[in-house]
Amino acid sequence: MVQIGTIKSIGHTDGLSIIPDDRQTLVKTVNQNGAGSVTVEDYGVVDDGEVVSFSAVFSSSDYNALVTLWKNRTAVTVTLEDGTVIASARVVLKSAAYFDVLLPGYKKVSMEVWRV
């Protein structure tokens, strides 16, 4: 189960992946006369750029609350299944599918959580 603010999914999340943001800037000067230089600036891993993606099942009312968070770009606290807490995050909804065959009134939501 994942908790987003006061909103909780039912069951386990599906396909949870964490993509770290490893920013690196390359500044390169090419000198055709042999006096050029290459400068590399490495900023390392930037936690604020981390993206967590997964699918989870939410009730229709919780789904509507997620849509509001997404549209308003509201920062929320997210607690993942393993207990990891992301204190300031933005919810990005990627897709939603009706889950009526198994659970009427529920939706399976593919989403991302961005640190902000």
Side-chain angles (χ1 to χ4, degrees):
M1 174 179 58
V2 66
Q3 182 169 342
I4 301 167
T6 59
I7 302 166
K8 293 181 183 180
S9 70
I10 65 166
H12 295 287
T13 58
D14 183 29
L16 180 79
S17 67
I18 300 172
I19 303 167
D21 185 2
D22 187 14
R23 298 179 191 212
Q24 184 180 59
T25 300
L26 174 66
V27 179
K28 185 175 181 180
T29 302
V30 177
N31 185 344
Q32 296 177 16
N33 295 328
S37 64
V38 176
T39 303
V40 176
E41 296 179 27
D42 187 349
Y43 297 106
V45 176
V46 180
D47 288 338
D48 291 345
E50 184 176 82
V51 175
V52 179
S53 62
F54 56 89
S55 293
V57 177
F58 295 93
S59 69
S60 291
S61 61
D62 282 347
Y63 171 74
N64 292 335
L66 287 172
V67 170
T68 300
L69 292 175
W70 173 50
K71 287 183 177 180
N72 293 332
R73 300 182 182 273
T74 304
V76 293
T77 298
V78 176
T79 305
L80 302 176
E81 284 186 52
D82 66 357
T84 301
V85 176
I86 303 172
S88 181
R90 188 166 81 78
V91 175
V92 179
L93 301 183
K94 299 309 250 179
S95 67
Y98 290 101
F99 215 59
D100 288 338
V101 173
L102 298 175
L103 293 168
Y106 286 81
K107 292 187 176 26
K108 185 171 185 178
V109 181
S110 294
M111 59 191 313
E112 294 178 346
V113 173
W114 297 2
R115 291 181 186 269
V116 292

